[in-house]
Amino acid sequence: MVRTIELKIPSESGFEKVAMNLAGDCAAMMGMTGERIADVKTAVSEACINAMEHGNLHDVSTKIYVTMTIDQDRLAIDVADEGRSGVATIDVDAPDVGAQIDGLEAPGGMGLFVIKALVDEADFVPPELGRGNQFRMVIHVNPKDPS
Amino acid sequence: MTSALRIEQRDASAVAVIELHGDVTGDGEDPIAEVFSSVTSDGPATVLIDLADAHYINTSGISVLIRLAMEAKKDGHRLLVSGTSPHYKKVFDLVRFSSFVSMYDTEQEALASLE
């Protein structure tokens, strides 16, 4: 049986913790372990922040739509924004923190990179809202075999 | 939203310790920078950022720490970080922050590294 939880949060810093904690609760209910739950929570937090910053451009009148779908040992979490900044891409370079500390680059650009490292699958999918960006993360109870 | 960050500053063995409690996010940039500036205003200093009671750190918060590292490097200060949980240590390693700033499990280990 597939179970779905839907959440709508303001595009305002701090509310990403509501989605983060709910995702952590879902992961725990599915039997994930402590570190795996921490990975889920950080990934969801970063996806919501990306949606607030890049998708909705910090417009507090916009919303972030979070859908969590539990299907046996698979947790899919979709984070959708209202697309104030155009189409997003999953292709990101590793952040060059050395260059950032040297003042050669602005600090930042780490969110998607971290998410991709923490979850089993991450990509933008066609938006069910018909507009904006929809980012999907998939996490299994047990990490997939890297081979 | 009210920031859930609390900052405490104290001195320990000629090191200025800045404890960040609660949420380390972009919202804390100005107050953290202000405390950092106050402890480094009298010349080169060693500053330890202690994250032992930081329950939530996001990449915007890591960017705040990168800015501190940038200021420290520019002005000849030494910056250390201690107290990160294993999960957040993994995140700091992922973005390679820990390749550029010395990180320790505990404040005691960080202070011992200076002896």
Side-chain angles (χ1 to χ4, degrees):
Chain A
M1 180 180 180
V2 176
R3 297 171 173 86
T4 301
I5 300 107
E6 295 178 317
L7 177 69
K8 184 166 68 174
I9 58 173
S11 284
E12 191 176 340
S13 175
F15 283 98
E16 79 279 4
K17 290 174 66 181
V18 176
M20 174 184 86
N21 289 324
L22 183 59
D25 288 344
C26 288
M29 288 176 68
M30 295 173 69
M32 293 193 199
T33 62
E35 184 56 22
R36 195 75 171 142
I37 292 171
D39 289 347
V40 169
K41 291 175 71 173
T42 292
V44 170
S45 159
E46 293 297 331
C48 289
I49 292 167
N50 272 346
M52 291 174 186
E53 290 182 355
H54 305 297
N56 288 345
L57 298 178
H58 294 293
D59 181 346
V60 294
S61 71
T62 61
K63 304 291 182 192
I64 305 294
Y65 303 85
V66 184
T67 305
M68 304 178 194
T69 306
I70 300 171
D71 184 1
Q72 298 182 41
D73 76 333
R74 179 184 187 271
L75 173 62
I77 303 170
D78 285 41
V79 176
D81 60 53
E82 299 188 22
R84 295 295 170 92
S85 65
V87 178
T89 173
I90 190 67
D91 297 323
V92 289
D93 294 328
D96 190 343
V97 169
Q100 294 177 9
I101 290 174
D102 286 339
L104 302 174
E105 293 181 12
M110 295 175 274
L112 277 180
F113 179 80
V114 168
I115 293 169
K116 287 170 69 176
L118 296 181
V119 302
D120 295 325
E121 301 168 30
D123 207 350
F124 288 93
V125 298
E128 291 166 25
L129 286 174
R131 66 184 193 284
N133 303 292
Q134 183 165 330
F135 183 64
R136 178 169 296 162
M137 296 165 284
V138 175
I139 308 101
H140 296 271
V141 171
N142 297 305
K144 66 181 181 183
D145 187 343
S147 63
Chain B
M1 285 280 284
T2 304
S3 172
L5 170 70
R6 182 166 56 85
I7 306 172
E8 291 184 10
Q9 192 266 311
R10 59 187 165 80
D11 296 325
S13 307
V15 176
V17 180
I18 300 174
E19 298 176 357
L20 303 182
H21 302 264
D23 295 354
V24 179
T25 70
D27 293 342
E29 179 167 9
D30 289 344
I32 292 171
E34 191 174 312
V35 171
F36 184 81
S37 178
S38 74
V39 302
T40 56
S41 59
D42 291 334
T46 298
V47 181
L48 172 63
I49 306 293
D50 186 64
L51 300 173
D53 194 40
H55 304 300
Y56 170 54
I57 304 171
N58 61 28
T59 55
S60 298
I62 295 176
S63 290
V64 172
L65 299 181
I66 289 172
R67 288 191 180 89
L68 297 187
M70 187 167 56
E71 290 299 315
K73 185 171 184 179
K74 190 173 66 179
D75 296 333
H77 307 299
R78 184 170 184 184
L79 183 70
L80 311 174
V81 173
S82 67
T84 48
S85 70
H87 174 70
Y88 286 122
K89 177 65 168 54
K90 179 171 74 178
V91 175
F92 279 105
D93 287 345
L94 274 173
V95 299
R96 297 187 65 239
F97 178 88
S98 46
S99 297
F100 298 95
V101 176
S102 298
M103 301 190 72
Y104 300 89
D105 289 343
T106 64
E107 177 184 333
Q108 290 72 24
E109 286 181 27
L111 297 178
S113 75
L114 300 171
E115 293 172 356

